[in-house]
Amino acid sequence: MKKGIIVGLIALTLLVGAFFIMLPQVLPQASEPDPELKFVGCNLSFADTIYVKYAVKGNDLSGVKLLIWTDPQTDYSYGSQNYVLNSIGTETVSGAQCLVFQYNKLAAKQMGDVIYARAFVEKQGNAYYSEVKKYSVLQYVYNKTGRTGTPSTNQKLIDLLEAMLEYGAKAQIYTNYKTNRLVSSNYYQVNVVGGMLPDGCDSGLYALGEVVTLTAPSTDLEGNAFSYWENDDGENVGTTATLDVTVISRNRTYTAVYGVETPVIPDPEYSTGLAYTDNGDGTCTITGIGTCTDLDVLIPPAIDGLTVSAIGEKAFENQTTLTDIVIPDTVTSIGKRAFYGCTGLTEFTIPSSVTSIGTQIFYHADNIHTVYYNASYYPATETENQLLNNAGITKVVFRGTYIGSYAASNLGLNGHVIEVEIVNSVTRIGDYAFANCTSISSIEIPNGVVSIGWGAFSGCTSLASVEIQDSVMSLGNYAFHGCTSLASVEISDSVTRLGEYVFYGCTSLENVIIPDSVSSIGDRAFLDCSNLKSVTMGNGVTSIDIGAFSGCTGITVVYYTGTLSDWLAISFFDASATPCIYGASLYISGELLTDVVIPDTVTNIDYWKFFGCTSIVSIEIPDSVTNIGLWTFGFCTSLAEITIPDSVTRIGGAAFCGCTNLANVYYQGTVEQWNSISKEFGWNMDCSFTSHFSDGVI
């Protein structure tokens, strides 16, 4: 996000909203009815500071307080709260005098945090409460932008709210605060009627693929017994009061139905006859097809009282007639080559319960075209531990939180065109996860991914473009090594370091923009990117390691967003670390660098600073400088003249080597002083110039 937008957001702050709480009566005397506290609305508005504003209405407001919780509770009662709010005064709200409370403990990084509020009053030894109301900036934004309600007609407001979420996500990343739940990711609302969510409330925002437990009371207020859960399509989705639902890609409402005959949901017809072994701990492992004759195998969650916890090594090897295998969510382990040679399978789902997967489970199962990968396991990192390789898979949908090392490496080696979909629940892409997937031509990395591992996309020779999202903080070494079709890459301004060899051999890459957030460029990061023509480098870069731009023979222009002083402060490891190595024009803060005036705050012009900058015509060095480093102005082929002060005591080797057009050197001291300067070997190699001294000698 541009700096101006961020400053504007900070100036506006965020506010945060108004909860209006009705207190119709607060027990003026013992014979009066008990107080009834009730929330009647909530909203978000803007003010000078970040705070949630609450208003309480009633006949007797004496002693009313507001309780605040910052985490869900099993019992929202007085004594467990994080904060107790006293009133800061009164306001007229909807024509009534109300007590006003403010909660001001929110920061930008906490836009997704849920605040639980409850009005409270104690009268004659009895405590009275409102219902619990939860609220967040994220919920307000989703309501106003139409994700969970009717969108606002104020487009400026919507634009501002979207920018707020982007800023909030950047604040989370910068402070490393709940980065597994960035507010810029996509969420879906779950509503409950007649029951509650895990936090005791009836609605909430959850990530795609997240499992949410709904709970209904055994009877409703009229005493009717619980019957079943119904979704918003009118379908019976469960007959027990506790129901686990998986969040899907739209908002859903689940209603607890009471007092009616429960529709019969037939039990699944689980396959029988499967071979298994008793693990000795109440669980068992499926070891083979056994006497089962089903073509569509539905593995039961339990056999003979033993929970099915694993699919054994080669369990279904060469079962070519099987057309489907469904694994229950009791299974945590799938053994090596479990489905080897199952050529009749066309789709497969790996459940989220799986935490261990053996190698090559689909080896020679060449007709599987789609794999739904819900697991978030951490496999071994040996190169042979390739989960999906050598199968005929054409699409993989990753739904977990972590894509394991080598998980999809070598997909496409059989000539299949591979489509990869990564949902926004994924936060990490492991080492070599997609290495050598030669048929992947494009991939969308969702906002929420924080790190991309070593060699994650190395050898993806058909991958043409990549957008690295704002959530990504780390690009591993060799991440895109050998992606020879990669023509464009957009690096987000959350990335702080480009790893070693990260774009090595990306021979189609023509332009690269390195954002201000990047502080270091690793060894040989752009090695042999021979078609790279322009480099835009942010002012956050402080070091560029060995060979970072070696072999980048096509670079003609370098844009640097910082100042000349900033450029001089960068540490270049060697000549091949500077992007100007092959004779590029250098732009500093948008201006072509031609006549260079070194700032008088500089005392040392370090190695390689202007090596190969062909746009430089003249250089003036102030008398604060004592040292001119190795190869500093090497191969500045347009350099015609330079002014050197008598403060300089050393000129490094090859400092002006290759400056073939250098005609005049103006030294501001005498010949004797000039001769006393330490000049290292080859400092003026391939140069022919006239020296001018302060004592009139030429």
Side-chain angles (χ1 to χ4, degrees):
M1 181 184 297
K2 293 190 189 235
K3 183 175 181 182
I5 296 177
I6 295 175
V7 172
L9 284 174
I10 294 172
L12 274 174
T13 49
L14 295 178
L15 181 127
V16 186
F19 286 142
F20 298 104
I21 303 168
M22 178 181 288
L23 185 60
Q25 193 168 4
V26 187
L27 200 63
Q29 50 185 319
S31 61
E32 296 281 340
D34 290 343
E36 180 183 350
L37 287 75
K38 184 179 180 182
F39 286 92
V40 294
C42 41
N43 194 17
L44 186 98
S45 50
F46 295 92
D48 296 333
T49 58
I50 301 172
Y51 65 89
V52 183
K53 180 180 179 181
Y54 303 88
V56 178
K57 172 185 174 183
N59 293 331
D60 180 3
L61 296 175
S62 61
V64 176
K65 299 180 184 298
L66 209 64
L67 310 181
I68 296 291
W69 292 266
T70 56
D71 295 296
Q73 307 290 313
T74 55
D75 180 19
Y76 295 89
S77 59
Y78 183 81
S80 64
Q81 73 280 346
N82 298 99
Y83 304 100
V84 177
L85 302 184
N86 293 310
S87 171
I88 62 168
T90 61
E91 286 184 12
T92 300
V93 179
S94 300
Q97 279 292 106
C98 298
L99 290 180
V100 177
F101 302 83
Q102 288 186 357
Y103 172 69
N104 59 1
K105 305 288 186 182
L106 288 173
K109 68 180 182 180
Q110 296 171 303
M111 289 186 199
D113 285 10
V114 177
I115 304 301
Y116 299 86
R118 200 173 194 190
F120 163 78
V121 67
E122 185 175 0
K123 296 291 184 180
Q124 298 183 349
N126 296 316
Y128 300 95
Y129 300 92
S130 72
E131 81 275 21
V132 177
K133 183 72 174 180
K134 71 176 183 181
Y135 196 63
S136 69
V137 178
L138 182 64
Q139 182 69 69
Y140 174 81
V141 173
Y142 269 50
N143 293 344
K144 286 297 183 181
T145 57
R147 292 176 173 92
T148 56
T150 303
S152 169
T153 58
N154 186 340
Q155 187 59 47
K156 289 183 178 180
L157 173 62
I158 291 176
D159 291 343
L160 176 61
L161 296 178
E162 296 288 0
M164 283 169 55
L165 291 190
E166 185 178 345
Y167 176 56
K170 290 179 185 298
Q172 287 179 262
I173 292 167
Y174 182 76
T175 58
N176 197 28
Y177 180 79
K178 297 183 180 180
T179 55
N180 63 331
R181 190 176 169 84
L182 295 176
V183 291
S184 57
S185 299
N186 291 324
Y187 297 93
Y188 303 95
Q189 185 157 296
V190 176
N191 301 310
V192 184
V193 178
M196 65 182 66
L197 295 167
D199 60 6
C201 299
D202 59 8
S203 68
L205 295 174
Y206 298 91
L208 183 67
E210 194 168 350
V211 178
V212 183
T213 300
L214 315 182
T215 305
S218 58
T219 60
D220 63 9
L221 295 177
E222 286 74 36
N224 298 311
F226 173 80
S227 299
Y228 63 93
W229 286 100
E230 183 178 86
N231 66 17
D232 42 15
D233 294 324
E235 300 169 336
N236 176 1
V237 291
T239 57
T240 59
T242 300
L243 177 68
D244 288 339
V245 298
T246 301
V247 176
I248 59 176
S249 57
R250 67 186 181 99
N251 303 315
R252 300 303 299 258
T253 298
Y254 297 88
T255 302
V257 179
Y258 292 85
V260 300
E261 184 177 348
T262 304
V264 176
I265 302 177
D267 293 331
E269 295 184 6
Y270 293 116
S271 297
T272 59
L274 294 171
Y276 70 90
T277 58
D278 188 337
N279 297 329
D281 59 357
T283 68
C284 66
T285 297
I286 301 296
T287 57
I289 194 68
T291 60
C292 180
T293 59
D294 293 347
L295 300 183
D296 294 342
V297 174
L298 181 59
I299 299 174
I303 300 177
D304 296 336
L306 300 173
T307 300
V308 176
S309 64
I311 309 298
E313 185 173 324
K314 299 182 181 179
F316 295 94
E317 182 179 21
N318 291 324
Q319 296 296 322
T320 58
T321 59
L322 297 182
T323 55
D324 192 21
I325 299 176
V326 178
I327 300 175
D329 59 10
T330 57
V331 170
T332 60
S333 173
I334 300 175
K336 179 180 180 180
R337 297 192 176 189
F339 310 104
Y340 178 100
C342 292
T343 55
L345 297 180
T346 57
E347 291 188 350
F348 201 91
T349 298
I350 300 172
S352 59
S353 57
V354 172
T355 58
S356 174
I357 302 178
T359 64
Q360 301 174 331
I361 65 170
F362 298 121
Y363 197 75
H364 288 315
D366 292 332
N367 291 314
I368 296 178
H369 56 73
T370 304
V371 171
Y372 297 94
Y373 186 97
N374 298 337
S376 299
Y377 82 112
Y378 290 74
T381 56
E382 299 296 330
T383 55
E384 65 267 19
N385 290 348
Q386 297 153 346
L387 169 62
L388 305 171
N389 68 322
N390 296 328
I393 298 166
T394 57
K395 182 175 181 179
V396 184
V397 181
F398 289 94
R399 293 171 173 166
T401 59
Y402 173 66
I403 301 176
S405 301
Y406 303 95
S409 61
N410 291 315
L411 276 176
L413 288 183
N414 295 339
H416 301 283
V417 175
I418 305 299
E419 178 185 353
V420 173
E421 180 182 341
I422 304 174
V423 303
N424 61 13
S425 61
V426 173
T427 60
R428 293 180 57 198
I429 298 175
D431 296 345
Y432 303 98
F434 298 96
N436 299 318
C437 292
T438 55
S439 293
I440 294 179
S441 59
S442 65
I443 192 164
E444 182 176 344
I445 300 172
N447 209 336
V449 172
V450 175
S451 65
I452 298 175
W454 281 39
F457 298 96
S458 61
C460 293
T461 54
S462 297
L463 187 62
S465 65
V466 172
E467 180 180 351
I468 299 171
Q469 297 286 354
D470 287 347
S471 56
V472 176
M473 301 176 67
S474 173
L475 288 181
N477 300 346
Y478 296 90
F480 297 96
H481 166 222
C483 293
T484 54
S485 297
L486 188 62
S488 66
V489 59
E490 185 175 338
I491 304 171
S492 73
D493 57 8
S494 57
V495 175
T496 58
R497 183 178 187 275
L498 299 184
E500 298 173 11
Y501 297 88
V502 62
F503 296 106
Y504 167 33
C506 294
T507 53
S508 295
L509 190 62
E510 294 187 356
N511 306 291
V512 66
I513 299 175
I514 302 170
D516 293 346
S517 58
V518 172
S519 61
S520 65
I521 300 174
D523 291 357
R524 299 172 176 86
F526 296 94
L527 176 64
D528 291 340
C529 292
S530 53
N531 283 311
L532 189 59
K533 294 179 174 58
S534 72
V535 175
T536 299
M537 194 160 66
N539 60 19
V541 173
T542 59
S543 66
I544 305 178
D545 292 338
I546 185 170
F549 294 94
S550 180
C552 298
T553 55
I555 296 178
T556 59
V557 61
V558 175
Y559 301 97
Y560 178 64
T561 63
T563 64
L564 182 58
S565 293
D566 295 332
W567 179 267
L568 288 166
I570 298 173
S571 173
F572 294 98
F573 189 90
D574 66 0
S576 58
T578 172
C580 300
I581 179 175
Y582 296 104
S585 296
L586 176 62
Y587 286 77
I588 300 286
S589 299
E591 296 291 332
L592 179 63
L593 196 65
T594 54
D595 301 308
V596 179
V597 179
I598 304 294
D600 59 12
T601 56
V602 175
T603 60
N604 174 39
I605 305 175
D606 208 353
Y607 303 161
W608 320 106
K609 285 299 184 292
F610 300 100
F611 184 84
C613 294
T614 55
S615 59
I616 296 177
V617 175
S618 68
I619 299 170
E620 183 177 331
I621 300 174
D623 58 12
S624 57
V625 172
T626 60
N627 176 66
I628 298 173
L630 181 74
W631 288 99
T632 300
F633 301 102
F635 291 98
C636 290
T637 54
S638 298
L639 182 62
E641 64 178 49
I642 186 168
T643 300
I644 301 175
D646 59 8
S647 58
V648 170
T649 59
R650 174 183 173 272
I651 299 177
F656 298 98
C657 177
C659 295
T660 52
N661 285 308
L662 183 58
N664 294 286
V665 173
Y666 296 94
Y667 179 65
Q668 295 178 323
T670 64
V671 172
E672 183 179 356
Q673 288 175 300
W674 174 257
N675 291 334
S676 68
I677 294 175
S678 173
K679 304 180 187 70
E680 296 182 356
F681 178 78
W683 73 274
N684 60 348
M685 188 180 298
D686 297 327
C687 298
S688 178
F689 54 82
T690 301
S691 299
H692 305 262
F693 304 97
S694 63
D695 52 6
V697 178
I698 297 178

